[in-house]
């Protein structure tokens, strides 16, 4: 069972570079989420989607963009990487609404 | 605004002891309170959850106690084992409206053998 798959697992970016964090789920879940986790800060919601073609901002959306063209995929785009975006990023999905999300294993991003 | 406050930040317990992690919330509209367990290098995983119509929920060695008037809820791990060593997050949401989860800051639990 794949669940939620994130790639890459690790990445080092230079300031100003761009990248896309990939997320795929094979559970046919409608809801998908992107969180960032900073030490001692819990998880902060970046963006979420309630279905294909629908996305909305979370608590900390600045510097990120998302798209949801299909149910399965929910990529997160960083356009101009900044050191403040150094974090661990988690993608998650749930069937109908928040609570009981399945999380991916995370992408550790360092911006230097 | 931090709507869910979690304590302690870290906790060390001896094997067989009871681990207690507390959370307090501000928004009285919250009606769904899950706890997540996260092992190093892994994503969080749902451990146990409670709704405010009950004051306690138990699943094996894990118990959530809920105090609606005090706006507090806690996780109790009985007979703590080294394998329970992980980071624990509480969270809250307004389930009826399908709102997003608000997470606490996390507690790093270490259970010594």
């Amino acid at each position: 069972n794949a669940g939620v798959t994130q790639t890459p697992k690790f990445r080092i970016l230079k300031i100003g570079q761009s990248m896309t964090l990939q997320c795929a789920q094979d559970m046919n879940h409608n809801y998908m989420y992107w969180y960032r986790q900073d030490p001692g800060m819990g998880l902060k919601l970046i963006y979420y989607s309630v279905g294909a073609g629908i996305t909305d901002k979370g608590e900390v959306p600045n510097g990120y963009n998302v798209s949801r063209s299909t149910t399965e995929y929910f990529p997160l785009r960083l356009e101009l990487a900044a050191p403040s975006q150094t974090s661990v990023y988690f993608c998650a999905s749930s069937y109908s609404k928040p609570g009981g999300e399945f999380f991916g294993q995370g992408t550790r991003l360092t911006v230097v | 605004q931090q709507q869910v406050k979690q304590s302690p930040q870290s906790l060390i317990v001896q094997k067989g002891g009871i681990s207690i992690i507390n959370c307090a919330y501000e928004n009285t509209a919250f009606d769904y309170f899950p706890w997540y367990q996260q092992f190093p290098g892994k994503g969080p995983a749902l451990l146990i959850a409670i709704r405010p119509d009950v004051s306690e929920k138990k699943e094996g060695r894990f118990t959530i106690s809920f105090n609606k008037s005090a706006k507090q809820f806690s996780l109790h791990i009985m007979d703590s084992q080294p394998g329970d060593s992980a980071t624990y997050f509480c969270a809250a949401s307004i389930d009826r409206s399908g709102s997003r989860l608000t997470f606490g800051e996390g507690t790093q639990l270490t259970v010594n053998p």
Side-chain angles (χ1 to χ4, degrees), chain A residues 37-42 86-88 108, chain B residues 9 105:
Chain A
Q37 184 178 31
D38 301 313
M41 297 294 291
T86 294
S87 187
V88 180
R108 185 174 293 275
Chain B
Q9 202 170 21
E105 302 95 327

Side-chain angles (χ1 to χ4, degrees), chain A residues 9-85:
Chain A
K9 286 188 169 52
F10 303 95
R11 182 73 185 267
I12 298 175
L13 275 184
K14 293 185 178 179
I15 295 172
Q17 285 186 319
S18 301
M19 78 163 294
T20 299
L21 281 67
Q22 301 292 345
C23 176
Q25 53 94 4
D26 62 358
M27 298 173 283
N28 202 31
H29 283 172
N30 293 317
Y31 284 59
M32 294 188 75
Y33 317 83
W34 274 105
Y35 292 91
R36 59 177 287 171
Q37 184 178 31
D38 301 313
M41 297 294 291
L43 290 95
K44 301 292 185 185
L45 183 65
I46 305 171
Y47 271 95
Y48 69 103
S49 169
V50 301
I54 306 169
T55 63
D56 207 348
K57 297 178 181 179
E59 294 176 77
V60 290
N62 291 343
Y64 308 95
N65 275 300
V66 294
S67 60
R68 183 102 182 268
S69 57
T70 66
T71 300
E72 295 81 9
Y73 299 103
F74 190 42
L76 177 72
R77 178 85 178 158
L78 283 72
E79 288 295 346
L80 292 169
S84 60
Q85 294 177 305

Side-chain angles (χ1 to χ4, degrees), chain A residues 31 33 35 37-38 40-45 48 56-59 90 97-106, chain B residues 1-2 9 32 34 36 38 41-46 87 89 93 95-96 98-106:
Chain A
Y31 284 59
Y33 317 83
Y35 292 91
Q37 184 178 31
D38 301 313
M41 297 294 291
L43 290 95
K44 301 292 185 185
L45 183 65
Y48 69 103
D56 207 348
K57 297 178 181 179
E59 294 176 77
F90 288 101
K97 55 186 176 181
E101 284 96 325
F102 289 84
F103 282 81
Q105 297 218 356
Chain B
Q1 182 186 6
Q2 180 62 45
Q9 202 170 21
Y32 178 72
Y36 288 82
Q38 183 181 29
K42 303 291 186 183
L46 179 66
T87 300
F89 292 95
S93 72
D95 195 43
R96 289 184 303 275
S99 73
R100 296 100 61 187
L101 288 168
T102 298
F103 283 87
E105 302 95 327

